[in-house]
Every structure is written in C-alpha cells, then in structure tokens.
Amino acid sequence: MSSAEGLPCASSQTHLVRHFAEQPVELHTDRWSQLWDTDNSDLWDRGKPSPALVDLIEERRDLVSLVGPDGRKKKALVPGCGKGYDVVMLALHGYDVYGLEISSTGVSVARRYAENELANPQAYNWGASRVDCQPGQVEFIQGDFFKRDWEKPGLKFDLIYDYTFLCALHPTMRPQWAARMAELLIPGGQLVCLEFPLYKDPSLPGPPWGLKGVHWNLLAEGGDGIVHPEQNDKEPRPPNAKFTRTLYVKPARSYESGRGTDMLSLYTRTDTQ
Ligand SMILES: C[S@@+](CC[C@H](N)C(=O)[O-])C[C@H]1O[C@@H](n2cnc3c(N)ncnc32)[C@H](O)[C@@H]1O
C-alpha cells in the first residue's frame, strides 16, 4: 500500500485496487497469494515492525503486560502477517507468537526473515524503553483467518495485532473479522489495531479500504462496519458488542504512510462467552 517507508504511493494503491476490482470476494485470498507469487509484496510492505506497537508494549505495561498474571508467556497472533516483522518483534519482547498468512510463499518469506532476525535482531525491534527478556517462540501458519482448520485445540490468544489486515479485506467481510477476533481471544484478551488508512474516503474502492470509524463501529457498537458519516450520531446501534475500547491514541511514532493520521486502538474482549 506504500513502498517501504515512503508515503503511500498512488500507483501502488491503484495497482492493488485494479488487482481486486470486480473479483468475487471468495477469490480474494487467491488474489493475495498471486501477489506474493509474482513478487509484489512491496506494494504494502513497510520493511520493519510497527514503531507504534513497539512503543505500546514497552511504555504502556500498565495496559499491556508482557507476561500473564501467573508468569506464563503470553500468546499473540498476527493475522495477515506478511513478512513477519511484528511477529518477530513481539517474540523478542517475550510473547509466543503465531503469524498467520494465506500465502504459502508469504509464509516461506516470513520464516526466512524470522530465522535471520531472531539470530541477529536489528535495533528497530526496540524503542526508547527497551525491555530485554527471553524471546518467545515464533510459528508461522499458512491458513485462512476465516476458517478454523488451522487452529490448534485449546489455543486462544492474549493479544492479537491488526495492521493493514482489516483494510485488505472487502467491506462485506468486516462483521466476520470482528466475530473471529472475539472467537480467537481469551475473555479479557486484547486486540490492538493500528488503524490505517484513516485519510482515505471510505466510499472509494480498496484495498486499502478506508477505515475511518470502522473499528469503533464493529467492535464497540457491534455494527456491520459500513460507516455512513450521516448516521454516526443518530440511532444507537444494537448492544451486541463484545469489546470495550481501553485506549485510543495518536501514536508518537508510526509509519510515514499513515500521513500522520494513524490511530492506535486497544480493544479488550469484555464478553464472557
Ligand atoms: C496488506 S497485506 C499486510 C501484511 C502485513 N500486515 C504488513 O503489514 O506487512 C495483507 C496480508 O494479508 C494476507 N491475507 C489476506 N487475506 C487473508 C486471509 N483470509 N487469511 C490470512 N491472511 C490473509 C495477504 O496475503 C497479505 O499478506
């Protein structure tokens, strides 16, 4: 969605929009795999872990603890993990981390990256409040987030991180995205979203699909994630939300591609089922 750390490049976005235009939604996973197989991951790859996520886990340990209450390692999931930068960074902060990718090529690339990076981690994995700890395990899984065949019995997550996964999905998939997030987290588990792109008109085609107001609508209001600005302040939405937003900040550091508009949100799963 942008080339490396640069500003979102209009031609990258046009390329992605064209690649998915008029494709049935059930073929979108194949279309993502094609992009990997034709070496086009630079259309969205940022080249390093998310600085906003690094800062959150290092600086807001009052909200996001690195270990569970019983001292056990916490389990994290990064769906649509791409090359695995955030997977490795979370593991270097002590989490056992699972990276899920639909593309088998993407999984191979991520495994290679993780092997090198864990052996010789770069400074970009830490922020100003560096925490040194025993790294957790890393596992990359090839699978479809919306299917259950990749899940392991009893495996639920303390933390899930979404960056450019929701915006990669067709808007009709949004309610299923929210339902799967609730299903995969333990009660009290945390969903961290680096919300992007917030500058893009939600009525324009994606990916990336504009997400202004979408996370709130899906997670806090239990809506369908299709946000109509004129409806925002009117009827209350049905009380079927499974999440409570516990943090919503403009991160001090994020990718340049967010044009200074990225927001970091933390949603806690507050239903008990
Ligand atoms: C825009 S890319 C973002 C990748 C990564 N989060 C990053 O920041 O580099 C979206 C990723 O989601 C993957 N993906 C798309 N649909 C998926 C699905 N249903 N299940 C798992 N991964 C999926 C794509 O293959 C692609 O790597």
Side-chain angles (χ1 to χ4, degrees):
M1 297 176 194
S2 90
S3 42
E5 248 294 72
L7 289 170
C9 153
S11 70
S12 294
Q13 295 209 6
T14 309
H15 186 132
L16 278 172
V17 168
R18 285 216 190 106
H19 183 76
F20 287 89
E22 289 164 38
Q23 296 292 326
V25 174
E26 55 281 13
L27 292 186
H28 281 200
T29 48
D30 292 346
R31 299 298 283 170
W32 282 106
S33 293
Q34 273 181 32
L35 288 169
W36 278 102
D37 294 345
T38 51
D39 202 17
N40 271 301
S41 61
D42 60 333
L43 291 175
W44 60 83
D45 189 78
R46 308 286 195 242
K48 65 178 184 184
S50 165
L53 181 62
V54 172
D55 292 348
L56 176 79
I57 60 171
E58 289 186 356
E59 291 171 14
R60 295 305 311 265
R61 289 167 71 180
D62 53 324
L63 290 174
V64 186
S65 62
L66 295 180
V67 287
D70 45 5
R72 72 176 169 84
K73 283 195 179 300
K74 289 176 93 175
K75 290 186 171 42
L77 172 70
V78 183
C81 66
K83 290 192 184 171
Y85 305 112
D86 296 310
V87 173
V88 171
M89 183 278 290
L90 286 167
L92 289 168
H93 285 80
Y95 287 85
D96 285 334
V97 196
Y98 297 77
L100 180 70
E101 238 312 319
I102 195 67
S103 157
S104 49
T105 303
V107 166
S108 305
V109 172
R111 283 187 183 137
R112 271 200 305 279
Y113 170 77
E115 196 182 334
N116 292 330
E117 194 65 21
L118 288 167
N120 194 10
Q122 299 175 67
Y124 62 34
N125 287 289
W126 291 277
S129 312
R130 178 172 176 146
V131 180
D132 285 304
C133 58
Q134 180 69 26
Q137 303 288 316
V138 163
E139 186 175 337
F140 290 99
I141 304 174
Q142 190 276 322
D144 184 341
F145 178 74
F146 296 99
K147 297 191 175 153
R148 298 198 175 95
D149 53 3
W150 57 268
E151 291 179 47
K152 299 173 197 288
L155 177 63
K156 298 280 177 199
F157 300 97
D158 300 280
L159 183 141
I160 303 182
Y161 179 59
D162 185 303
Y163 176 63
T164 57
F165 180 54
L166 179 60
C167 77
L169 303 171
H170 191 272
T172 54
M173 302 298 287
R174 289 175 185 169
Q176 289 176 63
W177 172 92
R180 283 294 278 152
M181 290 297 182
E183 204 172 275
L184 288 163
L185 283 167
I186 59 166
Q190 294 172 312
L191 170 59
V192 180
C193 301
L194 181 57
E195 301 186 7
F196 165 95
L198 300 184
Y199 58 82
K200 183 171 175 179
D201 179 345
S203 66
L204 292 175
W209 298 88
L211 291 185
K212 192 168 172 47
V214 171
H215 295 82
W216 174 260
N217 173 253
L218 281 171
L219 299 166
E221 297 181 317
D224 61 6
I226 308 299
V227 176
H228 306 287
E230 70 280 6
Q231 288 178 1
N232 262 352
D233 301 331
K234 293 185 184 162
E235 308 126 37
R237 293 199 163 82
N240 55 353
K242 296 189 168 162
F243 290 90
T244 302
R245 192 167 71 184
T246 36
L247 181 75
Y248 187 56
V249 288
K250 185 184 281 290
R253 298 193 299 143
S254 193
Y255 300 111
E256 279 181 47
S257 48
R259 293 184 183 167
T261 65
D262 286 355
M263 293 296 287
L264 188 76
S265 56
L266 177 59
Y267 284 89
T268 302
R269 189 188 147 198
T270 38
D271 70 306
T272 48
Q273 291 156 8

